[in-house]
Amino acid sequence: VGIALDNMNLGEAQLRLFYDYDLGHLAYEEIKTAMEFGGSILLPMAVNDKTKVGVELGAQNLLLMKNSDGVENRTKITFAIGVGNVIK
């Protein structure tokens, strides 16, 4: 269960934010709750009529609250260079 703000334009850049409450923790007795949140920004480097070359920078965090071990925190950092189609 979650919410996301996807492809929000900030000038030429695109922003993505999300929050998810993971219901899968209900299947595990040792985990009280689990949630994930993060975001990324796509910064275009070059754009022409058909393609866009850009850099994506982002971070994601998975938070698990456990009954006995306290909190487990898993963080991912994203750095990607890619080419995409330009849709007009």
Side-chain angles (χ1 to χ4, degrees):
V1 178
I3 187 167
L5 302 171
D6 206 7
N7 295 328
M8 295 186 322
N9 291 325
L10 298 173
E12 290 291 319
Q14 288 184 329
L15 182 66
R16 178 178 179 259
L17 299 170
F18 72 92
Y19 169 81
D20 290 324
Y21 178 74
D22 299 329
L23 295 175
H25 75 86
L26 298 173
Y28 297 94
E29 190 173 306
E30 69 272 6
I31 299 176
K32 287 183 189 177
T33 188
M35 61 190 79
E36 187 171 4
F37 51 91
S40 65
I41 188 164
L42 175 63
L43 304 168
M45 296 173 17
V47 178
N48 64 27
D49 291 339
K50 295 183 180 180
T51 60
K52 180 191 303 186
V53 178
V55 173
E56 182 179 4
L57 306 170
Q60 289 179 298
N61 190 48
L62 174 63
L63 183 66
L64 302 170
M65 300 184 97
K66 297 183 174 184
N67 290 329
S68 59
D69 296 339
V71 176
E72 185 174 324
N73 194 7
R74 300 176 186 174
T75 302
K76 300 177 195 175
I77 303 294
T78 303
F79 174 78
I81 299 173
V83 177
N85 294 331
V86 174
I87 301 171
K88 293 185 180 185

